[in-house]
Amino acid sequence: LFIGNHKTPVTKWYMKVKPTEMKADSGRIKPKVLPQELIRRHHRIAFIGIMHDNLSKAFVNILEEDPQHRWDQVFVLFPSDSCLKNTLVQNYSMQPVEKLIENKNACRSSLHELLSPVVSDLRFLTYDQLMHCGSYWDWCDPGGFIHVSPLTWGANPKTCPAMNYYWNSKVPSPEYRVYRDGLGYLLKTATPF
């Protein structure tokens, strides 16, 4: 006697998707900030973004609590100067492109100084075509996590809605694999910075 359905369910591929909470503050959307616990807990991290201006502060806080903390890989991907000039300028209407480029270079410099002693494989890269911003946390292993922030035309990237993808099954969901493979492609095509 068999009870129930013993066939593989059509919905065997599922993913946990949770929108990033964007709490309102005085009628304005609160900018996203990096969760320090993720930086502390994960050993392979990739950041695809524009300015990465909050990144140093998050790593400093962790290293102040635990000066012996180490990471296996940290990849930080910035837009190329031409990408900033031609594509992203509309998202930063309050700052001239030259200032964005200056801030990007200063951020790269401070991150390099801070992370070089504590990261085994530290890479700074630039890309020419921005599809989304995101962060990848142990993305090649079960328990991995991918945060994706699609850009909205004319909006500040720090306040655009986002989605989170988790590898919470034996194999990653097809959606998770698309973003993981996208990072693989980007890492192959990006240039050292």
Side-chain angles (χ1 to χ4, degrees):
L1 179 66
F2 293 101
I3 299 174
N5 182 354
H6 295 284
K7 295 179 183 174
T8 302
V10 175
T11 59
K12 73 175 186 170
W13 297 112
Y14 70 94
M15 66 178 172
K16 181 178 177 183
V17 178
K18 179 183 177 230
T20 300
E21 295 176 21
M22 306 291 284
K23 299 195 186 321
D25 183 28
S26 304
R28 295 174 27 165
I29 295 175
K30 180 180 177 185
K32 295 172 275 204
V33 294
L34 285 170
Q36 290 189 39
E37 183 53 37
L38 286 176
I39 294 175
R40 182 180 296 108
R41 186 173 63 224
H42 292 277
H43 299 283
R44 295 182 68 211
I45 309 169
F47 299 101
I48 302 169
I50 299 171
M51 291 294 110
H52 301 295
D53 48 350
N54 292 322
L55 208 48
S56 288
K57 184 168 56 171
F59 277 102
V60 164
N61 289 341
I62 290 166
L63 290 168
E64 283 176 352
E65 289 177 14
D66 178 10
Q68 301 308 311
H69 197 96
R70 299 294 181 265
W71 292 270
D72 296 332
Q73 288 180 322
V74 175
F75 303 150
V76 185
L77 292 97
F78 293 88
S80 66
D81 291 355
S82 63
C83 182
L84 276 174
K85 290 176 187 174
N86 301 324
T87 307
L88 296 172
V89 69
Q90 72 267 11
N91 295 85
Y92 288 95
S93 58
M94 302 301 281
Q95 285 188 325
V97 174
E98 295 76 20
K99 182 69 173 162
L100 293 174
I101 293 170
E102 181 183 318
N103 291 348
K104 176 183 82 166
N105 291 331
C107 183
R108 189 256 186 235
S109 179
S110 67
L111 284 168
H112 184 268
E113 183 179 335
L114 174 67
L115 296 177
S116 289
V118 296
V119 177
S120 298
D121 183 6
L122 176 63
R123 296 186 212 173
F124 296 97
L125 303 163
T126 62
Y127 53 84
D128 288 320
Q129 184 181 17
L130 181 64
M131 303 300 286
H132 64 271
C133 295
S135 54
Y136 291 70
W137 311 85
D138 292 328
W139 62 92
C140 291
D141 301 317
F145 169 69
I146 298 173
H147 169 86
V148 179
S149 296
L151 293 179
T152 303
W153 301 276
N156 183 330
K158 291 182 182 182
T159 60
C160 290
M163 298 301 286
N164 298 326
Y165 298 86
Y166 300 86
W167 181 349
N168 57 359
S169 57
K170 188 173 183 176
V171 295
S173 69
E175 295 83 357
Y176 185 99
R177 287 195 309 263
V178 166
Y179 283 108
R180 184 185 65 188
D181 294 347
L183 175 64
Y185 174 82
L186 190 55
L187 292 173
K188 288 178 191 169
T189 59
T191 56
F193 174 40

